[in-house]
Structure formats: C-alpha cells, structure tokens
Amino acid sequence: QNKKLEPIQESILKSVLSKSEQVAIERGQITDDIFLGLAQKLSGSLFEFQNYHWMNVDLFYNKYVNSKIEKNETVHFVGSYAFFHQEIIKSYFKAKGYNLGSFVQKPIDKLIEYYRSNN
C-alpha cells in the first residue's frame, strides 16, 4: 500500500500544523500532542483523507471488534478521533450490521455527568 501523502493531502497537512510541528514530523519526532490534535485539525478535510480514515476504521474493526462483539450490538465510541470522524465510522459500522450508540469526545465530561447524577 502507498503510504505517501498525495499533494493535496500534504498541502492540507502543512496548512493545519505549526512550523514546529512540521519540523518535528519531518524529524520523525511526532509527539502525542501532535498526533492527538490531528483528528480535530483534519476534521474539516474528511474527503481528502477519507482513504486513510477508512483504513484506520477497518484496522480498528478487525483488531478490536470483529469476532469480539456480536452483530446487532450497540457500539459506543470514546475519544477525539471517533468524535471528529464519526460519519466515516457510522457508515462503516452500519454496513457491518452494528447499531451505533454515542460518540463522546472527552470521557471525563461523561464521567462527571454520571457522577453528579448518581450521587
């Protein structure tokens, strides 16, 4: 598989990253902050990066869901990646026969809400 970005993808990536983030990536020093921030920064460019997101969802499905969660079960997602790419995830999981529950960007928000409502 081709792991190189297309010119439009390179252009978009450069436009959303700071100069220091670009230098870090070029040096192979991708920090968690850079990596985790990409989901939100690229959320407006889903079409241009759709092939990568589709591959990510497929890898996730095959590693964590397939043969572990029954079809017709309701699946919930937590985290920024899922939150900002939920349209792709919804399409993929519906095609596989799953029901979709909530998409939570920050788990701490739901934990606080749960704690407050149960005390």
Side-chain angles (χ1 to χ4, degrees):
Q1 290 179 334
N2 182 8
K3 303 229 183 219
K4 186 172 169 92
L5 294 176
E6 297 173 11
I8 187 71
Q9 293 169 325
E10 284 184 24
S11 175
I12 292 168
L13 190 60
K14 285 182 180 177
S15 74
V16 300
L17 296 173
S18 69
K19 291 291 182 193
S20 63
E21 290 171 329
Q22 290 177 35
V23 169
I25 289 172
E26 289 169 6
R27 292 181 179 163
Q29 302 168 336
I30 302 173
T31 64
D32 286 346
D33 289 341
I34 294 172
F35 185 72
L36 294 173
L38 282 177
Q40 183 175 5
K41 289 177 181 180
L42 294 175
S43 64
S45 303
L46 289 180
F47 179 77
E48 292 84 352
F49 287 89
Q50 187 172 13
N51 57 333
Y52 289 99
H53 298 307
W54 198 263
M55 287 186 329
N56 282 342
V57 173
D58 188 56
L59 289 169
F60 174 83
Y61 173 80
N62 286 314
K63 185 172 184 177
Y64 298 107
V65 179
N66 191 24
S67 76
K68 295 179 178 115
I69 300 175
E70 297 293 323
K71 304 282 187 200
N72 295 320
E73 288 286 328
T74 300
V75 182
H76 302 272
F77 295 87
V78 176
S80 293
Y81 186 88
F83 184 80
F84 288 108
H85 300 92
Q86 59 186 282
E87 293 310 314
I88 292 170
I89 294 168
K90 285 176 182 177
S91 174
Y92 185 96
F93 274 78
K94 283 181 183 177
K96 294 286 187 184
Y98 291 90
N99 299 312
L100 294 163
S102 57
F103 284 77
V104 178
Q105 181 182 0
K106 297 177 185 174
I108 192 69
D109 293 342
K110 292 295 180 183
L111 288 172
I112 291 170
E113 181 181 313
Y114 174 80
Y115 178 77
R116 287 181 178 158
S117 66
N118 290 302
N119 284 319

